[in-house]
Amino acid sequence: MTLPYSPCRTSGAPDLDAGEDAEPARTPGGEPTFNPGAGRPALRRRRLLMLLSSLLSAPGLLPAGNALAQSTPARTAPARADAWVSAVQMPGWIERAGVREPLSPGAVLRAGDVVVTGAGGRALVRLAEGSTVKLGESGRLAFSDLRVSRGATTVLAGLFDIAQGAFRFTTAAVQRRNSARDLQIRISTVTAGVRGTDLWGRGTAEREIVCLIEGSITVTRGSEAPIQMSEPLSFFIAPVGAPALPVAAVDPKQLAQWASETEPVAGAGAAVEGGRWRVSVLRSADQGEALKSYDALRNAGFDARIRTTRGTDAAPGAGYDVGIGSLSSQAEARGLAARLAGQAGVTGEPLVGR
């Protein structure tokens, strides 16, 4: 299925640093795009409605049948970003300074930010020195400290707190040549000191697990003696309220199961930087209905945006199209459409298009 019009393609990712007077992103043709949920919601919405009214009333500004694209495929993160979201399998959120917004590809992260995933969610974060962090469903990753020093060698330092859920931290071999790490990854009571490695971990109410896939780490836990781990495919388990167990080799089948917990599920609706597919969940001439759908989806961790359409002779008046964009393929868009059926804020059958 396709949308009944050709959407304008835009660039620009949500900027969580933008204040209420920030310049809106623009399409390649120079048309502004708007996110009524950013910053101060009530003020943003009032401004949005006034701006939309003026845009839609300007003769010849929007040709009939086209849309003013409010949903923007995410840009590649700036070269100076220390960390950014590369891909999301919704639902997911970013928490900053007490404000929670849906997670979107291209969103720049900084120290103090928290990335959260819901049931069925996944997130992929890229770091400036070349490493990646994957977060599984129902996870919570806090960038308690994040520092990047740039020079002949790019150095990543900081503290990442995994409050819940599974994660995987990976530094590809090619990235280790011109970069270094002085990083602590904390899973409840267990801390892994990372220099350059591939490791997986998870914290639950019963135990903390750290699995070294490649490289070397130093694991500490409370007053217990530090443990050096350098044997590939080995793991450490610390039962809550009991001494840690000896480091042991991990069974390949177990490792495959653990690794799958942080990988995106094919066809579940992966949104990526530069993704061009979109799911339209509501098309209405009622402005209030569109905003209600927008709020419901964003509160649920889906990065909904609103497009406006110019009326035609057959259907005069402005229309509103609420949807979720930046999806990586038609198959992923169809998967998300199936998942969204019956979700609050979704009216009728979601439509897949570009």
Side-chain angles (χ1 to χ4, degrees), residues 122-170:
R122 303 285 193 278
L124 171 63
V125 174
R126 295 194 181 278
L127 304 169
E129 46 61 81
S131 297
T132 60
V133 182
K134 297 176 181 178
L135 184 64
E137 71 172 331
S138 302
R140 188 175 181 85
L141 164 62
F143 293 89
S144 301
D145 185 18
L146 176 62
R147 289 166 283 124
V148 175
S149 301
R150 293 171 172 84
T153 298
T154 302
V155 180
L156 168 71
L159 171 64
F160 298 172
D161 276 298
I162 313 295
Q164 61 190 52
F167 81 96
R168 184 170 179 176
F169 178 92
T170 304

Side-chain angles (χ1 to χ4, degrees), residues 56 282-291 307 309 311 315-321:
L56 292 171
L282 180 139
R283 295 150 301 282
S284 174
D286 187 327
Q287 197 175 83
E289 184 180 20
L291 288 172
R307 289 175 172 175
T309 58
Y320 304 90
D321 184 339

